[in-house]
């Protein structure tokens, strides 16, 4: 497995958005979180996010194929770095690509001082983050009757 992180350009916002819509489509249907789901973002919103000075998007590539994306927000002011979103397309899940992408991004930005959130009901995601050393903060946020976010730090 040769996972490579490739820094995305602002001009690639449409491609990031297209991948994101595929990756989060099933969760949008399952949780009906129309206001918060990455699958419901607009191109304008993605372009704005890609242009934030403290935020970087990376393609997760395997054999030069985009299998996913991750985003890091690092204000470089001593505050926690944020890993969000991170996703692997459904057809590429279960191969350790997300784990390797997290290892690589932590080599770039440092292994400690991170925060993220995920869907409490998605046990595989919680398992992934806990396996990678992230700890629940105890904070949760109910999005709707189907979905609760749980917060992690490392």
């Amino acid at each position: 497995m040769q996972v490579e992180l490739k820094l995305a350009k602002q001009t690639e916002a449409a491609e990031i958005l297209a991948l994101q819509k595929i990756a989060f489509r099933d969760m949008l249907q399952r949780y009906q979180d129309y206001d918060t789901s990455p699958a419901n973002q607009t191109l304008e919103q993605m372009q704005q996010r890609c242009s934030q000075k403290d935020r970087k998007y990376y393609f997760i590539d395997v054999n030069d194929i985009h299998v996913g994306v991750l985003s890091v927000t690092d204000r470089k002011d001593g505050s926690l770095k944020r890993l969000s979103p991170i996703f692997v397309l459904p057809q590429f899940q279960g191969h350790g690509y997300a784990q390797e992408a997290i290892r690589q991004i932590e080599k770039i930005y440092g292994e400690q001082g991170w925060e993220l959130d995920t869907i409490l009901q998605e046990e595989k995601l919680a398992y992934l983050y806990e396996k990678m050393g992230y700890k629940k903060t105890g904070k949760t946020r109910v999005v709707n009757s189907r979905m609760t976010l749980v917060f992690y730090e490392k």
Side-chain angles (χ1 to χ4, degrees):
M1 162 181 67
Q2 182 61 32
V3 174
E4 183 179 357
L5 296 182
K6 292 186 179 173
L7 184 63
K9 301 177 189 91
Q10 287 183 11
T11 56
E12 294 174 303
E15 186 173 1
I16 294 167
L17 181 63
L19 295 172
Q20 182 172 282
K21 285 181 177 285
I22 293 167
F24 287 97
R25 180 178 41 223
D26 288 346
M27 284 187 205
L28 174 62
Q29 292 173 352
R30 188 166 39 253
Y31 299 113
Q32 299 179 15
D33 57 321
Y34 300 106
D35 294 332
T36 62
S37 176
N40 256 6
Q41 281 184 354
T42 66
L43 179 56
E44 182 178 277
Q45 289 170 318
M46 180 58 71
Q47 289 170 330
Q48 187 271 330
R49 289 187 171 148
C50 286
S51 68
Q52 292 173 339
K53 70 178 180 77
D54 298 334
R55 186 175 210 163
K56 304 277 188 247
Y57 279 85
Y58 294 83
F59 289 108
I60 302 169
D61 282 9
V62 176
N63 300 326
D64 291 320
I65 296 169
H66 296 332
V67 301
V69 171
L70 67 77
S71 175
V72 173
T73 301
D74 183 4
R75 292 179 188 83
K76 297 184 174 111
D77 62 1
S79 63
L80 294 173
K81 298 172 287 278
R82 182 159 178 74
L83 181 60
S84 177
I86 177 172
F87 62 84
V88 173
L89 295 171
Q91 67 267 35
F92 297 108
Q93 292 175 4
H95 298 284
Y97 300 148
Q99 289 178 59
E100 182 58 26
I102 291 170
R103 281 188 202 98
Q104 289 186 26
I105 208 67
E106 288 178 349
K107 284 181 185 174
I108 295 168
Y109 289 91
E111 292 183 18
Q112 300 300 316
W114 289 92
E115 67 178 352
L116 59 84
D117 59 76
T118 194
I119 300 169
L120 178 66
Q121 291 80 2
E122 292 291 323
E123 294 176 7
K124 287 182 182 178
L125 295 176
Y127 178 76
L128 165 67
Y129 298 128
E130 290 170 15
K131 182 177 180 179
M132 299 303 296
Y134 288 79
K135 307 285 185 213
K136 289 180 182 174
T137 65
K139 179 182 170 190
T140 60
R141 182 169 62 89
V142 175
V143 174
N144 61 35
S145 62
R146 295 177 172 87
M147 182 177 128
T148 299
L149 293 178
V150 61
F151 294 81
Y152 285 85
E153 287 184 3
K154 181 176 183 181

